[in-house]
Every structure is written in C-alpha cells, then in structure tokens.
Amino acid sequence: MKCIGVLTSGGDTPGMNAAIRAVLKEGEDRGINVMGIYHGYKGLIAGMVKQLSHQDVENVMHKGGTVLRTARSKEFTTQEGFVKAVDMLKAYDIEGLIVIGGDGSYRGAKLLADNGIKTIGIPGTIDNDLGYTDFTIGFDTAVNTITGEIYKIRDTMRAHDRVGVVEVMGRNCGDIALWAGVAGAVDIILVPECDLSWEDAMRQLVTNKLKGKLTSMVIIAEGAGKAEDFANYVRTNSDIDIKAIVPGYIQRGGNPTAFDRVLAARLGQRAVELLDSDIGGRAVGIRNNQIIDVSLDEAVNSVDNFDKKLYQFNSVLAKF
Ligand code: ATP
C-alpha cells in the first residue's frame, strides 16, 4: 500500500495519541504515506484530511484526548453520507483506513470494509466493552484515575463516618467498576453483569456498621444505575449517612498510563502491518498478552468477557 488514513471516532480515550503515533511511524518505516483524518467520520465526509508528519505526533504521548480530534456523525450512517465518505477516501487515494474507536466506530468500519475499503479497527474506549480483546486503549488509565479518586473520597467519608457511593462510566460494561473497585478496596461493586440487589447491598452496609465499620465504599457502574438513586434508596431504608459522587469526564482524560501507551503502540503496529499485507476487515486486540486480530464482524458481535471470578472474590476481600 502507498497511502493509508487514520481517524479517531466516538468517545476520546487516553492513549489514542500513542496509537496515532505508532501508525505514523510504522507507516513511514514501510514507505507508506499516512493521512490524518480529523474529526472522525464527520471530518472524513467534509474532507478534513492532511498528511501526517513527525511534528503532528511530537510530544503527544503523555496527553489525553486525540490530536486528530473526534466526533460522532449521524450523516455517516445515512446512505448519502456514507457515499461521500467513500468518495473522499478515493479522492485522497487512501487505500486502507485505520479506525480508532469503540463499538459504534467499529460498525462504521465494518460497513466500509463490506463496501470494499480495507479497514482495520483499533479498540479505543475506556469502557473495555469489546469482548474479543482483553483490554481496550484507555481502560487502564480510567481505572487508575478512579482508583485514585476512591482513596481521596474515602478520606473525607472516613472523617465523617459516612458511606460513599462512586458512579463510574462503562455504558453497559462493568469493567471499570470491577477493576477500580478491587484496586480501591471497595466494599461493594454494583455492575450490570451481576445481580446483587440494592437491598442486599444496603444490608451489607448496615451489617458493616453494626460490626463497627462506619465507613464503607460502594462503586456503581453506570449500567447498573445512578449513584444518587442508590444513595436515596439507602437513605430511605436505613439510618446510613451516604454520599453519592460522580467523577464524570475526568475518567476520560489525563496522562495515559504506560500500559495504555505500550498497548497502543503494539496495536498501531499490527494495524499497519495488516494493511500493508493487503488485509482489511479486521480488528486488532490483545489476548493473553499476544496481539491478535479478528474479523470486524466477530469484534462487533463478541460476547462480554467480564471476570465473574474476580467479582466474586471481591466479596471475600471486602469481608470485615
Ligand atoms: P465510545 O464507546 O467511546 O462511545 P463509539 O465508537 O462506540 O465510542 P459511537 O458514538 O457509538 O462511539 O460511534 C461513533 C460513530 O460511528 C457514530 O457517530 C457513527 O458515525 C458511526 N457509527 C456508529 N454506529 C454505526 C453503524 N451501525 N453504522 C455505521 N456507522 C456507525
């Protein structure tokens, strides 16, 4: 291949810049021109395309967000918008496309692949909700951010003998809650994958209090409900003093962890390697520390790989 394009799409995630850098460097090493497509599919339709150079990826490894910017595009999902996007790729002689994003972006990538454009997906989402890969870029950073927040919140909860319930992102996936919950030594983890009722969770808090543990921490994945609703439920049905905390977008930004940067580098390298072998319609990922690739079809339909054993073990870790 002589020319490939790269774009970031959907929610931004720490580590996207490391992936873009890896794509550019690997492309250059193979004598391939790498075109940066700005603002995701929206920018592709509008022709926001520029050849990337070293300066574009200089000093960006430690930055969250994406130097290519990102967007969501309704127009791309229409027949007319899709045709414009394909035409634009042809106009810029882009023979292969790398899409860094989550499952929605992957569906767009699959549509392109089904229409003859060699397209590779790189998993970029903090949610870790693509089951074919053990980890997505940005997840580790988000988990580290939330783990740090839990300890700060616990300090002030402890000062007042309160319970804190922290709501984290993840859409329908409980991975951020699980990993940050275990790392942050929380007492109760509420996720959509496991059916711990709010009543049972509250009983646990009451038992903790009766045993002398006045400060407990709860983490709730957004897919399992709202922190404020859980706090209201507990307030209504017990004498526990509980505060709801929603860290929100801070878990989408910040300095990517070394793990996310290295993962991004490895995935970016494989993505270019595939295109250079004339292979499209694949999504790259990591399984058992090996870089793998699966069809985009398998990637968008993959079942969740939530670690139920780790989830169950947390109730052992949290015993008081
Ligand atoms: P995140 O998980 O971080 O939100 P995402 O990639 O899932 O990221 P989406 O908003 O779902 O984010 O998708 C990004 C873009 O991908 C959409 O704005 C749309 O342009 C395109 N897209 C999503 N679903 C489809 C689909 N079924 N067909 C074609 N394009 C799609």
Side-chain angles (χ1 to χ4, degrees):
M1 271 193 194
K2 291 205 166 42
C3 178
I4 63 173
V6 57
L7 60 81
T8 48
S9 168
D12 60 299
T13 171
M16 277 182 164
N17 288 329
I20 297 162
R21 178 172 176 264
V23 166
L24 174 67
K25 300 281 177 166
E26 179 69 10
E28 283 191 336
D29 199 52
R30 290 169 179 268
I32 300 171
N33 279 344
V34 178
M35 308 297 279
I37 298 161
Y38 290 76
H39 302 280
Y41 295 127
K42 192 175 177 181
L44 174 59
I45 291 169
M48 299 167 103
V49 181
K50 177 186 115 86
Q51 183 166 350
L52 292 179
S53 73
H54 285 269
Q55 282 92 325
D56 294 306
V57 294
E58 206 180 283
N59 206 26
V60 300
M61 286 285 273
H62 60 295
K63 291 181 181 155
T66 157
V67 291
L68 289 177
R69 307 294 188 270
T70 184
R72 303 187 199 271
S73 168
K74 269 217 174 92
E75 194 183 357
F76 181 75
T77 62
T78 66
Q79 174 69 10
E80 209 189 1
F82 181 76
V83 169
K84 275 193 207 164
V86 171
D87 287 348
M88 201 54 81
L89 289 170
K90 289 185 180 151
Y92 280 93
D93 291 324
I94 294 171
E95 300 161 84
L97 178 67
I98 294 173
V99 172
I100 309 171
D103 66 326
S105 303
Y106 270 25
R107 284 176 212 284
K110 185 178 162 342
L111 201 60
L112 287 167
D114 291 345
N115 282 274
I117 308 287
K118 298 235 156 60
T119 311
I120 304 290
I122 295 183
T125 166
I126 63 165
D127 301 340
N128 213 38
D129 59 353
L130 290 161
Y132 77 93
T133 180
D134 291 345
F135 299 109
T136 56
I137 299 168
F139 169 68
D140 186 62
T141 304
V143 167
N144 276 278
T145 300
I146 292 297
T147 303
E149 293 301 305
I150 287 169
Y151 277 87
K152 288 178 192 159
I153 294 161
R154 185 184 271 118
D155 284 348
T156 171
M157 294 300 126
R158 199 183 284 283
H160 293 270
D161 295 334
R162 278 182 181 139
V163 169
V165 51
V166 182
E167 180 185 319
V168 297
M169 289 180 169
R171 291 203 192 195
N172 296 319
C173 179
D175 279 9
I176 295 179
L178 173 64
W179 283 64
V182 172
V186 311
D187 301 271
I188 293 165
I189 301 173
L190 293 164
V191 289
E193 292 87 348
C194 298
D195 52 4
L196 176 65
S197 69
W198 285 11
E199 189 182 353
D200 286 343
M202 183 190 67
R203 278 212 191 104
Q204 189 59 51
L205 296 174
V206 173
T207 306
N208 284 358
K209 192 174 173 185
L210 289 172
K211 283 184 176 171
K213 186 175 190 182
L214 301 178
T215 297
S216 293
M217 291 296 290
V218 181
I219 192 163
I220 183 167
E222 65 177 326
K226 293 199 172 304
E228 194 55 57
D229 292 343
F230 178 73
N232 281 332
Y233 175 83
V234 171
R235 276 183 210 116
T236 308
N237 295 289
S238 75
D239 64 346
I240 284 173
D241 184 6
I242 183 168
K243 289 277 177 201
I245 303 101
V246 186
Y249 279 98
I250 61 157
Q251 60 207 293
R252 282 255 290 263
N255 185 348
T257 59
F259 179 86
D260 272 332
R261 298 182 200 192
V262 175
L263 176 64
R266 295 173 76 191
L267 296 177
Q269 192 279 333
R270 173 63 73 86
V272 176
E273 190 174 68
L274 286 169
L275 285 181
D276 202 24
S277 308
D278 238 18
I279 296 169
R282 310 289 292 173
V284 294
I286 185 165
R287 254 189 232 150
N288 303 322
N289 201 25
Q290 298 298 311
I291 300 302
I292 51 122
D293 58 272
V294 302
S295 71
L296 277 167
D297 192 44
E298 183 181 335
V300 294
N301 291 308
S302 48
V303 287
D304 87 83
N305 54 2
F306 185 82
D307 190 340
K308 286 209 166 126
K309 194 168 178 190
L310 180 60
Y311 178 83
Q312 279 150 8
F313 183 52
N314 196 64
S315 51
V316 176
L317 290 170
K319 268 189 188 150
F320 178 68

